[in-house]
């Protein structure tokens, strides 16, 4: 898919310190998993149950390939998944990547097969004060405004959803791309075409806290 970023205007504001804050839009829950991970089926069940019971979340499943030697190639694994998880390893000062790992709005992480910990992580992310950022949509255009408190990245993520998702995973990611940096002020973004599920994610650089999430379907 070709990604078009049109008419982007950045008005750079004075940078201010951030602190923990809740993202504009749904709470982003990311699950890093592999078909060769024995604990991952329980994590997929957890995410499916939680997704069915709540409408204020965007759950994305990122498949990784570093367990492929245990049972064959994971057909859904993406280089972007491994890169993103490595960013979280540094963010949370972990010894290394693991599966199943759940990350909540870029603010904390837990084992994805431990339902109580997942629910606690979601609740903590949802309870944070709103970030000083707004992300709205009109047709195929999005407007981003506010002060991220430093450099942020704008990501476009595509995933399988609805009838297009023939797996037992919740919203498995099919592609991801960083489409622009953002330092604050107003930015107008032309949303790329969306074949199934897709989202615009605004996140502090270095895989920090998620500042805003927009359903791009």
């Amino acid at each position: 898919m070709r990604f078009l970023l049109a008419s982007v205007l950045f008005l750079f504001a004075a940078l201010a310190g951030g602190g923990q804050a809740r993202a504009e839009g749904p709470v982003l829950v990311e699950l890093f998993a592999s078909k060769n991970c024995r604990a991952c089926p329980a994590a997929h069940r957890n995410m499916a149950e939680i997704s069915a019971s709540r409408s204020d979340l965007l759950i994305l499943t990122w498949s990784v390939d570093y367990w492929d030697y245990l049972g064959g190639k994971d057909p859904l694994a993406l280089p972007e998944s491994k890169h993103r998880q490595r960013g979280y390893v540094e963010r949370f000062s972990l010894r290394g990547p693991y599966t199943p790992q759940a990350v909540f709005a870029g603010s904390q992480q837990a084992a994805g097969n431990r339902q109580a910990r997942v629910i606690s992580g979601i609740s903590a992310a949802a309870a944070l004060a709103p970030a000083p950022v707004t992300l709205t949509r009109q047709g195929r255009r999005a407007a981003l405004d506010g002060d991220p408190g430093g450099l942020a990245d704008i990501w476009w993520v595509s995933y399988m959803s609805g009838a297009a998702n023939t797996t037992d995973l919740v919203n498995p990611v099919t592609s991801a791309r960083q489409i622009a940096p953002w330092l604050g002020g107003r930015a107008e973004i032309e949303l790329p075409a969306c074949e199934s599920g897709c989202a615009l994610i605004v996140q502090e650089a270095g895989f920090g806290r998620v500042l805003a999430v927009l359903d791009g379907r």
Side-chain angles (χ1 to χ4, degrees):
M1 178 186 295
R2 294 182 179 273
F3 296 85
L4 303 177
L5 182 63
S7 302
V8 180
L9 178 62
F10 296 108
L11 303 177
F12 298 117
L15 302 181
Q20 292 295 323
R22 172 168 51 84
E24 169 87 357
V27 175
L28 180 64
V29 180
E30 302 174 81
L31 177 67
F32 294 90
S34 167
K35 80 176 187 68
N36 299 306
C37 159
R38 291 184 179 179
C40 286
H44 295 314
R45 289 193 297 271
N46 285 341
M47 295 302 171
E49 291 175 6
I50 293 169
S51 178
S53 65
R54 298 184 60 156
S55 60
D56 61 337
L57 309 177
L58 174 60
I59 298 175
L60 297 178
T61 302
W62 299 83
S63 295
V64 296
D65 65 1
Y66 49 80
W67 298 129
D68 282 2
Y69 71 95
L70 294 176
K73 182 177 176 58
D74 188 327
L76 295 175
L78 300 172
E80 294 85 354
S81 300
K82 187 161 55 177
H83 173 71
R84 190 170 184 83
Q85 191 179 29
R86 283 175 176 169
Y88 285 133
V89 168
E90 295 183 9
R91 156 98 164 124
F92 298 117
S93 300
L94 303 176
R95 292 183 178 180
Y98 71 94
T99 56
Q101 180 189 24
V103 178
F104 314 101
S107 61
Q108 56 183 293
Q109 64 89 40
N113 60 323
R114 302 294 180 87
Q115 189 175 77
R117 294 183 183 180
V118 171
I119 292 173
S120 176
I122 291 172
S123 297
L128 295 172
V133 169
T134 60
L135 181 59
T136 57
R137 175 181 179 178
Q138 185 172 9
R140 295 306 305 169
R141 299 182 70 81
L144 175 63
D145 204 352
D147 182 4
L151 180 63
D153 294 321
I154 303 173
W155 294 87
W156 182 254
V157 178
S158 297
Y159 57 90
M160 291 188 285
S161 66
N165 184 8
T166 57
T167 75
D168 60 355
L169 314 183
V170 177
N171 298 332
V173 174
T174 56
S175 67
R177 183 174 177 179
Q178 180 184 344
I179 59 175
W182 184 54
L183 274 170
R186 182 175 176 82
E188 294 185 357
I189 305 163
E190 183 175 336
L191 299 176
C194 183
E195 296 180 1
S196 178
C198 44
L200 196 69
I201 298 171
V202 183
Q203 185 171 21
E204 288 180 338
F207 300 99
R209 60 177 178 157
V210 174
L211 301 171
V213 179
L214 179 69
D215 187 342
R217 288 177 291 182

